Amino acid sequence: MCAQEAYPKVLAQEGDGIYSLLRRHGVSPTKYYNDFVDMNSEELGEDESLILGRHYLLPDTLAKNVEVMEEDITYSIFGDDFKKVDAASDRLKNTVYYLISGHGGPDPGAVEKYHGKMIAEDEYAYDVTLRLARELISHGAEVHIIVQDPNDGIRDNRVLELDTDETVGSESIPLDQLERLKQRTKVVNDLYKKNSGKYQRLLVTHVDSRGEGTNIDVFFYHHEKSSNGKRLAESIHQTFFRKYKKFQPNRLYNGTFMERSSLYVVKNTLPAMAYIEIGNIRNKKDQRRILDPDNRQALAKWISEGILLDYESSKEAVAK
């Protein structure tokens, strides 16, 4: 193998994250993100962030021996800049994932003012959910995005504009909270029954809202009686713990995974599931994690790696 010095080096510019840097230099982020991180791990900041003015090695896309996957497909729901999804692997072949982003429609969730503009938790939960869906599809999964917005794909902006046009399937989202939860639960359960016999999991993504001074790490809930849900939540939690240890060695990761069967969706949906809170929208430190598009991408990437860990460990358990 060539020495690392033989790989091309590129400069991180203002506003660059790993995805934007790779795309600018014609390298597929879906296929080569992990290679880039491995090659440059000593030069990355918190949450796999790039450091302005630092040079980074680019993966050699010509030399890498990559298994030829099926032709890339486009998905309009991800928006023009992200609709093409490169096939990274088939590690999630024959799996089905249901993704729910919290709130939506007439319910924006918690709202907060940022630099004079209103921001809402449903928009950020939706963006992370789309990014997660894209990651899972790239590994061969069948993905159902339960809450959808017809004109908001993945957005590389800090401030995501509020709107109320999200739907569940073709149906508008009810104003009443219980009716909203029943609507998305019914859609998931109907799909689950249609896909009976397949490996199926549910991920629900929320942005927490607590007091302004409360800084939280990403944490996870699962149903108390679901061993598969517990393993899913624990697998993602372990992935976050390892990532923090690697990229933020001086900061203790305090995220948790725990039982929380009192939540309606946790209690009433059929697939094994993990319920994820990605931060407190009212806290300035958490806003940095939530508002930065590259941090949202890192969140989705880390969640997907935990999902891969969960699926592959479940196959090992069955084989024993």
Side-chain angles (χ1 to χ4, degrees):
M1 182 178 286
C2 299
Q4 278 202 337
E5 286 73 14
Y7 291 101
K9 278 190 172 184
V10 294
L11 183 70
Q13 300 176 5
E14 182 74 35
D16 266 345
I18 295 176
Y19 263 62
S20 58
L21 180 105
L22 290 177
R23 282 200 302 267
R24 190 169 71 249
H25 292 280
V27 179
S28 166
T30 306
K31 291 180 180 177
Y32 295 99
Y33 184 102
N34 289 338
D35 290 334
F36 180 91
V37 170
D38 290 343
M39 294 169 67
N40 296 284
S41 59
E42 300 300 318
E43 304 297 326
L44 297 174
E46 294 183 358
D47 299 336
E48 299 179 359
S49 61
L50 301 182
I51 298 172
L52 179 64
R54 190 163 292 185
H55 285 84
Y56 292 92
L57 296 163
L58 283 181
D60 186 345
T61 60
L62 297 177
K64 185 177 180 185
N65 181 22
V66 181
E67 180 183 356
V68 176
M69 307 305 298
E70 63 183 64
E71 186 177 352
D72 301 328
I73 304 173
T74 60
Y75 299 82
S76 60
I77 192 170
F78 298 137
D80 288 343
D81 292 338
F82 294 89
K83 64 184 179 182
K84 180 183 176 185
V85 181
D86 296 321
S89 80
D90 61 357
R91 291 167 67 188
L92 292 176
K93 186 178 180 180
N94 300 321
T95 64
V96 182
Y97 288 90
Y98 309 106
L99 307 185
I100 298 177
S101 56
H103 304 282
D107 174 26
V111 294
E112 186 66 22
K113 196 166 266 190
Y114 175 80
H115 291 184
K117 291 194 172 184
M118 296 302 295
I119 56 174
E121 63 172 303
D122 71 317
E123 301 295 339
Y124 293 90
Y126 184 65
D127 191 75
V128 171
T129 296
L130 289 183
R131 293 171 188 271
L132 174 59
R134 197 169 179 273
E135 291 292 328
L136 299 180
I137 289 170
S138 78
H139 291 291
E142 176 185 329
V143 177
H144 296 268
I145 302 169
I146 305 304
V147 176
Q148 298 190 8
D149 189 302
N151 47 35
D152 286 342
I154 294 172
R155 292 172 281 176
D156 274 346
N157 308 100
R158 293 186 67 83
V159 175
L160 302 183
E161 298 293 336
L162 282 69
D163 61 26
T164 60
D165 58 350
E166 293 88 3
T167 62
V168 170
S170 60
E171 301 293 326
S172 60
I173 297 176
L175 179 61
D176 180 78
Q177 181 185 18
L178 181 57
E179 291 304 314
R180 286 199 303 273
L181 298 176
K182 285 181 177 179
Q183 180 189 55
R184 55 197 65 186
T185 297
K186 183 180 186 304
V187 170
V188 169
N189 289 345
D190 287 348
L191 287 167
Y192 179 83
K193 292 170 185 175
K194 288 180 181 178
N195 286 307
S196 178
K198 296 181 181 180
Y199 182 94
Q200 304 182 64
R201 294 292 184 267
L202 166 64
L203 284 301
V204 179
T205 305
H206 272 260
V207 181
D208 200 41
S209 57
R210 306 189 182 195
E212 186 176 321
T214 306
N215 172 223
I216 63 171
D217 280 325
V218 180
F219 61 94
F220 313 92
Y221 297 134
H222 61 88
H223 195 287
E224 62 185 355
K225 295 182 179 179
S226 173
S227 58
N228 288 334
K230 179 180 179 181
R231 188 184 60 229
L232 174 60
E234 186 174 12
S235 296
I236 305 172
H237 176 265
Q238 288 175 350
T239 301
F240 272 73
F241 181 82
R242 287 195 304 272
K243 294 291 188 179
Y244 270 70
K245 189 173 182 180
K246 181 175 182 180
F247 294 105
Q248 301 186 46
N250 298 320
R251 181 179 179 279
L252 181 65
Y253 173 60
N254 291 310
T256 59
F257 73 97
M258 64 186 77
E259 300 170 356
R260 184 82 183 273
S261 301
S262 61
L263 295 171
Y264 186 93
V265 174
V266 176
K267 183 178 180 180
N268 292 285
T269 46
L270 296 175
M273 61 94 71
Y275 186 109
I276 307 169
E277 297 275 11
I278 61 175
N280 177 11
I281 198 169
R282 294 195 170 106
N283 180 268
K284 299 304 179 187
K285 289 184 179 178
D286 284 7
Q287 283 180 3
R288 178 178 158 193
R289 180 193 312 146
I290 299 164
L291 270 64
D292 188 306
D294 287 301
N295 287 347
R296 296 198 298 272
Q297 183 60 45
L299 283 171
K301 188 77 175 178
W302 294 2
I303 294 169
S304 73
E305 289 182 22
I307 290 170
L308 284 161
L309 173 65
D310 166 67
Y311 178 56
E312 290 172 349
S313 65
S314 73
K315 289 196 297 183
E316 290 174 3
V318 170
K320 288 182 180 179

